[in-house]
Amino acid sequence: MTSTIAVIGTGYVGLTTGACFASLGHNVICADIDEQKVESLRRGEIPILEDGLDRLVHESITAERLSFVLGAATAAEQAEFVYLCVPTPQGEDGSADLSYIEAAAAEIGPVLQPDAVVINKSTVPVGSTRVVERALGRSDVHVVSNPEFLREGSAVSDFLKPDRVVIGADSQAAAIRVAGLYVGIPAPIMVTDPASAETIKYAANAFLATKLSFVNAVAAICEAVGADVNDVMLGIGYDKRIGQEFLQPGPGWGGSCFPKDTRALARIAEDAGYDFFFLKGVLDVNEEQFDRVADKIARLAGGSLEGKTVAVWGLTFKARTDDLRESPSLEIIGRLRERGARVIGYDPAVEVAPAGVELAGDAYAACDGADVLAVLTEWDEFKWLDFDKVHEAMASPCILDGRNLLDRSALKRRGFTYDGIGRS
């Protein structure tokens, strides 16, 4: 059954949500407040790097199932369902700023059709459905929580082939209507109350962040006792109670979701009267990991980074995305610069240099005269480069493999000094 859906906000979540629903056959109108962005999207120009998203957008525009308009009210006035996908920026204390959601709800409230369903897709604090209800000022519409579980780099696949669809609603009828939007998607649909749905989103990301911090803490132990963290994680990952996912050591975790959601859950717990000291420890371990990686690079440089040049491969927070938000690479680069290092970076998805980074045209150029090469994002292409050429370009052939991505035996045979995470 085809429905008319309005999506308010064309950021990462909004654009993916709109394009995927359109691909399922729904009529989708996406709204934004940025006129230039709306015009670009109408031309099929995608502002983010996301596998498969450009194809879905182009196909749905051509089929006249997807359109873009300026202003939330314009999109919402004829819609049966309105998805709120607007930013919820986080304050220093972990609390979320709901002003964008409240403003969007206030704008669409007067134009909504009776019995319309307004759906929170943005990551919002527990209790936000009530905030939206008040901002709408309507007793004849429904507010539902339908949190997103999209991974950058595989968001289209995650939407169309999810592990689960979570719907939080006080009205069973409204929940069934939202569930109907997902017909054709092979996934269990879980219906619960709004507060539980909102908590599921935070708890899921906080748990994954916990696994990553645990792995990096075990990596530090492996280095101390002479074990190989890759083998250790493989060994525990065979345990079905644990599983193989999110057991890869690295330079720390980041991105637009994990840091924000983990801090937010700690704050939600605090506001509810519970000191979630365990989760605070997860955050502390991540900060320590940034410092540990910076220390490793300093040791490879001879103990001091003053006046040294560090080449960095990988600036985005993960491969197959152009997202620099809360990137572990940038966290580590900041620490390197504080210690006096010059940083020359390369990333296949980054065209504008972040602050404090000299951007090289390719991976080899980044290594020219470098004292240390640090691999901080897991782009596959880094594995297949000519490391004899890298060796020749560097002033000192030292590599910190922050993702355990490279063939350490081959590098050592070529004369590199190699250090990884939880292995040497």
Side-chain angles (χ1 to χ4, degrees):
M1 180 177 176
T2 298
S3 299
T4 301
I5 301 172
V7 176
I8 312 304
T10 60
Y12 181 84
V13 172
L15 187 55
T16 302
T17 297
C20 287
F21 272 135
S23 76
L24 294 173
H26 299 294
N27 295 316
V28 180
I29 307 167
C30 292
D32 206 283
I33 59 174
D34 185 333
E35 184 174 1
Q36 185 175 355
K37 186 177 184 183
V38 169
E39 290 299 325
S40 296
L41 288 168
R42 285 172 176 168
R43 295 191 297 268
E45 298 171 2
I46 309 303
I48 58 176
L49 178 63
E50 185 58 50
D51 185 41
L53 183 58
D54 54 349
R55 177 182 57 80
L56 285 191
V57 170
H58 293 151
E59 290 177 354
S60 297
I61 290 175
T62 301
E64 299 184 346
R65 292 192 304 266
L66 178 64
S67 60
F68 298 92
V69 299
L70 187 65
T74 306
E77 56 189 359
Q78 298 300 323
E80 303 164 73
F81 301 90
V82 181
Y83 272 88
L84 300 180
C85 302
V86 297
T88 53
Q90 192 172 66
E92 298 257 344
D93 61 355
S95 61
D97 178 359
L98 296 181
S99 60
Y100 292 97
I101 279 188
E102 291 178 279
E107 182 179 346
I108 66 176
V111 305
L112 288 173
Q113 297 294 311
D115 212 31
V117 182
V118 178
I119 305 151
N120 272 342
K121 196 69 169 174
S122 304
T123 301
V124 292
V126 177
S128 293
T129 54
R130 307 291 176 245
V131 173
V132 172
E133 286 172 353
R134 289 193 295 270
L136 289 171
R138 296 280 296 270
S139 60
D140 59 343
V141 299
H142 310 279
V143 180
V144 171
S145 173
N146 179 206
E148 55 88 11
F149 301 96
L150 307 178
R151 296 169 297 169
E152 293 193 42
S154 58
V156 170
S157 175
D158 288 343
F159 191 102
L160 297 176
K161 299 176 182 178
D163 295 327
R164 75 293 203 196
V165 174
V166 176
I167 299 169
D170 292 320
S171 163
Q172 190 78 3
I176 291 170
R177 288 174 62 194
V178 174
L181 298 175
Y182 290 91
V183 169
I185 288 183
I189 294 179
M190 175 184 176
V191 176
T192 183
D193 60 90
S196 295
E198 292 160 349
T199 304
I200 287 168
K201 166 64 176 177
Y202 284 116
N205 278 349
F207 182 76
L208 295 175
T210 299
K211 288 186 76 172
L212 292 173
S213 281
F214 175 80
V215 172
N216 285 333
V218 171
I221 296 171
C222 288
E223 290 173 10
V225 302
D228 187 321
V229 70
N230 286 1
D231 290 343
V232 173
M233 290 304 121
L234 182 63
I236 71 171
Y238 279 123
D239 188 325
K240 294 178 182 178
R241 297 167 300 173
I242 298 172
Q244 299 283 358
E245 295 295 320
F246 285 83
L247 291 183
Q248 293 76 39
W253 43 265
S256 61
C257 292
F258 281 8
K260 178 171 175 278
D261 292 355
T262 305
R263 288 192 292 261
L265 185 57
R267 176 55 191 260
I268 289 167
E270 183 179 329
D271 289 345
Y274 176 67
D275 184 1
F276 206 159
F277 65 90
F278 172 80
L279 195 58
K280 293 175 183 176
V282 169
L283 291 161
D284 289 342
V285 168
N286 199 45
E287 287 293 319
E288 289 173 3
Q289 189 69 1
F290 299 147
D291 292 329
R292 289 187 68 244
V293 173
D295 289 343
K296 283 173 166 286
I297 294 169
R299 285 196 295 271
L300 287 170
S304 172
L305 286 168
E306 189 65 42
K308 299 295 177 68
T309 299
V310 178
V312 172
W313 286 356
L315 301 173
T316 56
F317 89 95
K318 66 183 289 190
R320 296 170 294 283
T321 176
D322 57 359
D323 199 342
L324 295 169
R325 287 176 292 179
E326 301 252 14
S327 169
S329 182
L330 298 187
E331 289 283 350
I332 292 162
I333 286 170
R335 287 159 170 78
L336 300 180
R337 286 184 49 76
E338 287 174 1
R339 302 188 194 190
R342 173 193 178 201
V343 177
I344 304 175
Y346 170 72
D347 190 292
V350 175
E351 297 180 355
V352 178
V357 179
E358 299 173 43
L359 200 61
D362 59 46
Y364 299 116
C367 296
D368 191 20
D371 298 289
V372 182
L373 166 62
V375 181
L376 299 180
T377 309
E378 71 282 17
W379 290 97
D380 279 343
E381 67 184 67
F382 294 156
K383 293 190 289 188
W384 314 119
L385 295 174
D386 183 343
F387 282 92
D388 289 331
K389 187 174 179 179
V390 172
H391 190 292
E392 185 178 345
M394 295 182 69
S396 174
C398 299
I399 292 182
L400 184 283
D401 187 359
R403 298 283 181 170
N404 291 352
L405 182 72
L406 309 178
D407 185 337
R408 60 176 171 175
S409 297
L411 290 172
K412 288 180 177 180
R413 286 196 302 270
R414 284 180 166 87
F416 284 95
T417 300
Y418 173 96
D419 193 10
I421 305 296
R423 63 203 305 236
S424 58

